[in-house]
Amino acid sequence: MPAERCWHCTEPLPAGDAPRANIGGAARSFCCHGCRNAAEWIEHLGLADYYRLREQPAQRPAAAAVDTADWQRADLTRHVVRSVADGQCEAMLLVDGIHCSACVWLIERAVGAVPGVARVQVNAAARRARIRWDPARCDLPGILAALARMGYQGLPLDRAALEESRRGEARLALKRLLVAGFGAMQAMMYASALYLGAFQGMDATTRDLFRWLGLLVATPVVFYAARPFFAGAQRSLRAGRPGMDVPVALAISLIYLASFLEALRGGAEVYFDSVSMFVFFLLVGRYLEMRARHRAGDLGDALARLTPLIAERLLPGGRSERVAAATLGVGDLVQVATGSTVPADGILESGHCRVDESLLSGEAVAVARRTGAALIAGSLVVQGPVRLRVTQVGADTVLAGILALVARAQSERPRLAEAGERAAAGFVARVLALAALTAVGWSFLDPARAFTATLAVLVVSCPCALALAVPAALTRALAVLARRGVLVVRPDAIAALAGATHIVFDKTGTLTSPEFALERIGVVRADSRAAALALAAALARNSRHPLAAALSLAGGGLPALPVSEAREVTGCGIEGRIEGRKLRLGRADFALGADPQGVEPDDAVVLADADGVIATFHLAERLRADAPGAISALRAAGLEVEIASGDAPARVAAVAARLRIRSWRARQSPHDKLARLGTLRAQGARVVAVGDGVNDAPVLAGADIAVAMAGGAELAQASSDIVLRGARLGALAEARALAADTMRVLRQNQRWALCYNLTAIPFAALGFVPPWLAALGMSVSSLVVVLNALRIGRAGRGAGSAARFMHEALT
């Protein structure tokens, strides 16, 4: 780096004495004390390799300054920070200033070095960071200050930040495309004059003028418009895995340098028109890919934009005021007009209304809500207006939980994508070898054609389509599934679901509705039914099982009894001490501590103490409305369906009979369920386990694909690979069909990319393809892969599909 430039941000040094520091064993100069402090801090953390790995200069710390005092306010941080497991906090931030993999390397290590930070995951392409920390040891302002110290600005992942990020990416891509388009147009004009002049006796002075004009318009195309290709090539070579940008950058460099030398010595041929058209066609393809990616893949952005910026808060006396939605607090009374969006989670206090929750639940039809029902942030009021009492805001809302799961899926790299990138890297090495062989061969046969033939091989064989085949299909599938109410937390689950052979359902709350109704109480030793129910409800409040929830709800109007030493035994029941008396509630064998020997009905929930049964509770359940159709669809798709439930045999048998499921198991403990899954997997089966995601977490962990049915606050806590939002069991059958469709399209993409390269490379090596046509063919090949991926989840694939796909890519 020139001595007159700042070592950190590469801006010009100030006149006079510039700040200096010893970085990496050498004295370095800086434009300001902020840059010097940032460099010294990076050196102190042992991360000076950042300056060797980076591809673009760092941002000046002054430009990334953040007012951490604002982030001390609870009303602001609650919209960014959410509580997760083990008492930790998590935030998803949009990080301004990320340019390359070196930035990711630096942020993950520098922020990870802040005391209390447990995990940092950075997505360079989306410029997002997912950070988890211990709130007892650090806070968000401290983390943002650490980012700012390095020259990065952390922004909340909200509507404004996302829209600005997307506009910035599109604006920069369009600027590069316009520069390349103008340069290609002008270069072709000058080249046309040269070609025509060759036949009409153009004098040497005029010929040289047009060549220098061609150089003038091609230079910004190469050094500005084509910069992403050089940066990508540099990044992949530093990583030791040559990527798709390597042959492209090499071809651009060779064409430009050869033309420049020819112009200097007055040679016969220059290729400024070819290099300009080459870059233009490549950028057209990448611009269309970006538009298609924005349309198909950024569901998280669409969800974030659901939350309105303004809310109408009702004040005492009937007055109202318009406030920022971010300032709403728990307990506020809010009015939402028809056609407006619910700003926070809350309880409906006005009468009947209808809301559209399609993007949140996947349910296309507006749903009816009555007084006392829960409304979730992001819902659109179709029939109102409504008044609701706010219960959850910011990162605690259902919408925030969904966003967290989507962000988690987008931050992970699927094994299929990694395998595709490895294949593309190996293909690049073979392409470079083939280009060298082409150059050697033509140098013997016809040296005049060696250069153009070699360039054509480099360009036409660029494995862009091969590298795009997997991510294009998976990105589209993730977005389509999420819109249908299926959140894929682990992207590898799509391939696993497509190859599944068996599916094992829990019964309670999964095949049946999670709401139970208390039918009757059998009193044995209690003073009254109310007394027995009060004891059972007190214990039941310590569990999230659907049966416990029904008992807790039934006893809601009775006095709340304090419970000590409460403990839930998964699959069995709850025990605790009330007024010094140890009680158990659950299965008969658990409650009595021994085999009941027929004393109690098999399907009853039993309340007992050391002396025996106190009361029995009989609850009624019903099938989910879409359960029969979902089971039939899964069976038609070739899956073997089973039930493994901890409930009584009579109840399980009744549900199995109604759903025509031949294989079922009752009274299954979590250990029994895990053993069954292990048996199936040992027999070569690929098993999908479906449960409620919270109570069944240990069992789901033992399956090849874990599917959780979760709603409300449970969404963010579900332990699974796939989460079905709301109560749509039928979405699982749709997910299976779409997973199979995704794998089919993915294989089509891979076959197309392979066939294209195998067909085009021989023609290019034989000299039949000029470099500009090779660039066009490579761009079209990549675009075909992206447009083919857009077919996933579409019902109509008729003759007009291509036009519709192109419209999707461009809009």
Side-chain angles (χ1 to χ4, degrees), residues 282-354:
L282 288 173
L283 289 176
V284 166
R286 292 211 172 179
Y287 183 78
L288 293 176
E289 290 165 17
M290 179 200 70
R291 298 292 297 183
R293 171 170 49 84
H294 283 179
R295 184 177 181 87
D298 278 327
L299 175 81
D301 293 6
L303 288 170
R305 288 194 294 270
L306 286 179
T307 305
L309 298 176
I310 303 296
E312 185 177 358
R313 181 164 53 195
L314 298 178
L315 302 174
R319 295 182 299 109
S320 66
E321 62 177 350
R322 291 174 63 83
V323 298
T327 63
L328 291 177
V330 175
D332 283 349
L333 187 62
V334 177
Q335 178 159 308
V336 185
T338 300
S340 297
T341 305
V342 177
D345 289 359
I347 299 299
L348 181 63
E349 291 198 353
S350 57
H352 172 86
C353 73
R354 296 183 67 84

Side-chain angles (χ1 to χ4, degrees), residues 23-217:
I23 306 296
R28 308 293 185 186
S29 299
F30 302 90
C31 64
C32 63
H33 292 286
C35 281
R36 186 190 67 179
N37 293 340
E40 287 180 333
W41 192 62
I42 292 172
E43 171 82 4
H44 172 71
L45 294 174
L47 303 176
D49 277 348
Y50 161 71
Y51 294 106
R52 178 178 58 83
L53 297 172
R54 67 179 180 176
E55 296 160 12
Q56 294 191 30
Q59 224 174 296
R60 294 183 65 180
V66 58
D67 187 359
T68 58
D70 286 343
W71 290 98
Q72 299 284 359
R73 293 165 42 197
D75 62 338
L76 182 59
T77 57
R78 71 188 179 196
H79 291 273
V80 179
V81 180
R82 54 185 294 269
S83 299
V84 292
D86 303 325
Q88 294 183 334
C89 292
E90 182 179 274
M92 178 67 71
L93 301 174
L94 191 66
V95 182
D96 189 27
I98 293 180
H99 299 299
C100 60
S101 55
C103 296
V104 175
W105 181 86
L106 177 63
I107 291 172
E108 289 184 343
R109 284 158 179 78
V111 176
V114 175
V117 173
R119 183 188 304 170
V120 183
Q121 286 182 310
V122 180
N123 185 326
R127 295 191 299 161
R128 297 177 190 178
R130 185 159 67 103
I131 305 171
R132 184 174 291 190
W133 68 91
D134 180 358
R137 301 180 60 196
C138 66
D139 56 11
L140 184 60
I143 293 170
L144 293 174
L147 281 170
R149 203 178 306 166
M150 295 179 294
Y152 301 99
Q153 184 176 9
L155 302 169
L157 195 62
D158 60 9
R159 179 176 183 169
L162 288 170
E163 289 181 349
E164 178 59 31
S165 174
R166 176 164 291 181
R167 280 197 302 266
E169 182 186 7
R171 192 184 304 120
L172 182 59
L174 189 59
K175 283 165 57 179
R176 295 189 192 278
L177 181 61
L178 290 175
V179 169
F182 177 79
M185 180 176 63
Q186 292 299 112
M188 280 299 298
M189 290 175 57
Y190 301 139
S192 299
L194 288 172
Y195 296 148
L196 294 173
F199 295 104
Q200 298 176 3
M202 180 183 291
D203 63 88
T205 303
T206 305
R207 183 195 63 191
D208 289 344
L209 173 63
F210 279 115
R211 286 180 174 177
W212 288 111
L213 288 173
L215 172 65
L216 181 66
V217 297

Side-chain angles (χ1 to χ4, degrees), residues 19 59-60 92 152 170 174 180 214 292 353 375 387 399 459 491 502 510 583 589 595 622 655 664 712 740 757 795 805:
Q59 224 174 296
R60 294 183 65 180
M92 178 67 71
Y152 301 99
L174 189 59
C353 73
L375 296 182
R387 291 193 313 275
L399 179 60
V459 174
H502 289 66
T510 304
L583 302 173
D589 54 351
D595 188 347
R622 62 181 186 275
V655 170
W664 57 270
N757 282 288
F805 298 154

Side-chain angles (χ1 to χ4, degrees), residues 628-668:
I631 298 301
S632 297
L634 291 168
R635 193 182 291 113
L639 275 74
E640 294 291 333
V641 182
E642 295 188 12
I643 299 176
S645 174
D647 207 349
R651 288 184 182 273
V652 179
V655 170
R658 292 175 64 184
L659 295 175
R660 300 179 181 177
I661 298 175
R662 292 190 299 270
S663 179
W664 57 270
R665 286 168 172 76
R667 292 300 187 203
Q668 298 284 290

